[in-house]
Amino acid sequence: MIDSNSGGTIVRMLSGTAASGAACMALAVTLSGCSGNAEPQEQPAGQMLAEANKTMKSLQAVTITGRVTTEDGRWSTTRLRTDLKGTCSFTSAASTGEKLDQIRIGDTDFIRPNLKHMQLSGMDTKGRKDQKNWGRTTADPDAAAGENGLTDCTHPFASFGKAVKGETGKTRGIPTISLIVTDKTDKSGAYTFHVATQGKPYIYEVVYKSPDFRNVTSFSDFNTPLNVKPPKAHVVNLPD
């Protein structure tokens, strides 16, 4: 299980899934492995999660978008373009009206919260308005991921619980298989991973559903150029 803080909303996310060997034929219903002249062996769901987890960890760049909706209609969204190490651009927004933009490059953070975000963060906003300025400060390497709504550019991919195979289909036009993960510590919710069945076993989408909220996390732009740069203007130095 992964706990990550997106725009002030704690979102529990998982990651994992599957692979097919380069010399193996993709099956219509599942993935399979090859060994010499032996018949293809169907991979168990847990192994598929582990192999996809490994594949996602090896990415040099990826875009991760998320949307959480609660049963009472509240929502929050995030978009993270990252190298999964220390360079990324991040935006979060919520139905409360708050918004935060962040660019992290190495040990430097560029941050631009709107007025509502500052108010909800407990900052003194008397006489202040929404602005174009970005604030530049030194990133805190000891800060927990999600602190103050900021990201550390990482996304830990890990598997847990019991995985079973679901239906095959397409996710954003890509043939995928669904792997459904449940855990005894969360009896009311379940995660569904949509994993590519052709080419590399990328995770394209993870959907978590419970009686209280729904979280959809999507992955795209695998290993495309990152192109994260500092803001060109309206940058002021903030105290560290």
Side-chain angles (χ1 to χ4, degrees):
M1 183 177 302
I2 299 169
D3 290 325
S4 64
N5 205 329
S6 301
T9 301
I10 296 178
V11 182
R12 296 174 56 188
M13 299 166 58
L14 295 178
S15 301
T17 55
S20 56
C24 301
M25 181 181 298
L27 300 183
V29 179
T30 185
L31 298 180
S32 59
C34 291
S35 177
N37 295 321
E39 290 296 321
Q41 299 298 311
E42 183 177 293
Q43 289 181 306
Q47 183 179 347
M48 296 171 73
L49 280 170
E51 292 193 12
N53 174 57
K54 181 179 179 180
T55 299
M56 297 299 285
K57 282 184 176 181
S58 70
L59 289 170
Q60 301 300 305
V62 65
T63 298
I64 306 171
T65 59
R67 183 178 179 87
V68 178
T69 53
T70 63
E71 60 176 355
D72 59 4
R74 291 176 296 155
W75 57 265
S76 65
T77 62
T78 57
R79 183 184 188 277
L80 175 66
R81 177 67 181 154
T82 179
D83 66 357
L84 297 174
K85 296 176 181 178
T87 300
C88 62
S89 61
F90 176 71
T91 300
S92 66
S95 53
T96 55
E98 64 179 306
K99 184 179 179 182
L100 172 69
D101 296 315
Q102 176 194 358
I103 297 172
R104 176 169 291 191
I105 302 175
D107 61 357
T108 301
D109 269 332
F110 300 90
I111 307 168
R112 185 172 61 179
N114 72 351
L115 184 64
K116 190 66 175 181
H117 181 92
M118 291 188 287
Q119 291 171 340
L120 293 176
S121 298
M123 299 175 61
D124 182 7
T125 58
K126 185 177 181 180
R128 301 186 68 169
K129 299 179 180 179
D130 283 336
Q131 57 185 353
K132 295 181 179 180
N133 288 348
W134 289 79
R136 176 171 49 206
T137 187
T138 301
D140 183 358
D142 298 323
E147 187 171 321
N148 298 322
L150 301 180
T151 181
D152 64 358
C153 300
T154 65
H155 186 90
F157 294 95
S159 304
F160 85 110
K162 181 180 179 181
V164 297
K165 296 176 185 177
E167 298 179 351
T168 56
K170 288 188 176 182
T171 303
R172 303 198 302 276
I174 303 299
T176 56
I177 183 171
S178 61
L179 303 175
I180 302 166
V181 178
T182 55
D183 186 76
K184 61 183 180 181
T185 62
D186 184 4
K187 297 181 180 179
S188 62
Y191 294 82
T192 302
F193 295 82
H194 297 274
V195 181
T197 57
Q198 296 179 5
K200 292 187 177 181
Y202 291 136
I203 302 170
Y204 276 81
E205 191 171 84
V206 182
V207 180
Y208 174 79
K209 291 182 180 180
S210 78
D212 299 320
F213 71 95
R214 183 175 188 264
N215 175 29
V216 179
T217 305
S218 300
F219 303 88
S220 61
D221 303 324
F222 306 107
N223 283 334
T224 59
L226 194 61
N227 197 32
V228 173
K229 299 178 180 180
K232 293 183 177 180
H234 306 294
V235 178
V236 297
N237 291 322
L238 300 175
D240 291 337

